[in-house]
Amino acid sequence: YVPMTWDKAAADQENDIEILLNKYKSTHLLAFNEPDDCNGQSGQYSNMCVVDTSLTYYKNLLKTGLRMASPACRQGAVFNWLVDFNEKAINQDIRIDVIAVHWYDWSSNPENSPNESPNAIFNRFTNYLENVYNIYGLPIWITEFNANIHRNEWVHRQFLQLAMPYLEELDYVERYSFFPPVNDVADLYNLNNELTQIGTYYNDFLSSKGLTQ
């Protein structure tokens, strides 16, 4: 279990530190959900999309002593917003232990490619992770990823069958979590709470590795 301080509200008071430290067996902490987005997610509140503002609240979270994951930004923001955040953190001796990322293949014009080749998506995914690691040199947590909301179920399933074995073997990826699109195309469970084809693959693969969902 890893708690997440979604926005400022869970990171700006001394009492927040006590709450986080009382989380059951927590050894890590995830910071802020897409603060780079000034028009949505945590970035729309309290000037969180301003790097210096987010960094101030992030610094407060270090009082927990927990292993810290960076703010989880939108896909492209790891190459600009988070670079600025990281550079300022280094200059101020503010610790970042893990880089958290979200990836949905948005750079590939997915709205116009619902039947995109899973191999092409997978190749972009692996290139992305390599580029992120080359910039930061830190372990990566992929806290949200899928083949994109505009892609069909077959594409998602085939992409996962390529991605998951790869991620299990990639030394610098510590954790990953498939995030089903919100359009019910690639859910892990159907309306009867039964595993779908994707859900069955995800469950069976993790079970084969001695892991749990």
Side-chain angles (χ1 to χ4, degrees):
Y1 168 72
V2 180
M4 181 181 197
T5 51
W6 195 88
D7 64 0
K8 168 195 170 183
D12 62 338
Q13 302 292 329
E14 289 298 320
N15 185 53
D16 295 326
I17 306 304
E18 292 301 317
I19 292 172
L20 292 167
L21 288 176
N22 286 326
K23 297 296 183 182
Y24 181 65
K25 292 186 177 180
S26 296
T27 57
H28 295 70
L29 180 60
L30 286 163
F32 314 140
N33 188 69
E34 300 187 354
D36 59 288
D37 184 0
C38 293
N39 298 308
Q41 300 299 319
S42 68
Q44 66 185 305
Y45 304 111
S46 306
N47 293 319
M48 287 286 287
C49 66
V50 176
V51 168
D52 289 335
T53 302
S54 281
L55 192 61
T56 297
Y57 300 132
Y58 179 92
K59 184 177 181 180
N60 190 50
L61 294 174
L62 291 179
K63 295 174 183 177
T64 62
L66 298 172
R67 192 162 181 253
M68 291 288 300
S70 73
C73 297
R74 292 174 296 176
Q75 180 174 328
V78 296
F79 303 122
N80 43 64
W81 192 96
L82 193 60
V83 169
D84 189 16
F85 185 97
N86 183 60
E87 289 177 350
K88 289 183 175 181
I90 291 172
N91 290 335
Q92 298 178 44
D93 198 26
I94 296 173
R95 173 172 52 85
I96 299 174
D97 301 302
V98 175
I99 298 298
V101 302
H102 293 170
W103 189 87
Y104 295 113
D105 200 28
W106 281 115
S107 62
S108 66
N109 194 23
E111 297 90 339
N112 295 316
S113 57
N115 301 309
E116 174 72 301
S117 160
N119 281 287
I121 299 170
F122 174 68
N123 288 337
R124 287 190 291 270
F125 184 51
T126 61
N127 288 336
Y128 177 82
L129 295 175
E130 289 173 6
N131 289 334
V132 172
Y133 184 70
N134 287 338
I135 290 173
Y136 300 98
L138 292 171
I140 295 173
W141 286 17
I142 312 164
T143 58
E144 298 179 17
F145 81 105
N146 64 47
N148 196 272
I149 192 172
H150 296 287
R151 306 269 165 63
N152 62 44
E153 190 274 345
W154 182 86
V155 171
H156 278 280
R157 183 156 37 92
Q158 297 301 312
F159 164 67
L160 264 187
Q161 290 175 6
L162 294 169
M164 291 181 68
Y166 171 78
L167 294 173
E168 282 296 317
E169 299 301 322
L170 200 59
D171 291 342
Y172 55 78
V173 170
E174 288 187 348
R175 298 189 182 194
Y176 61 88
S177 180
F178 177 69
F179 195 91
V182 293
N183 58 356
D184 297 327
V185 167
D187 289 342
L188 298 176
Y189 293 89
N190 61 26
L191 294 178
N192 295 321
N193 205 34
E194 300 165 333
L195 288 170
T196 61
Q197 288 189 69
I198 284 180
T200 297
Y201 172 75
Y202 200 74
N203 180 71
D204 290 351
F205 181 86
L206 294 179
S207 295
S208 73
K209 299 295 181 181
L211 305 170
T212 56
Q213 291 189 47

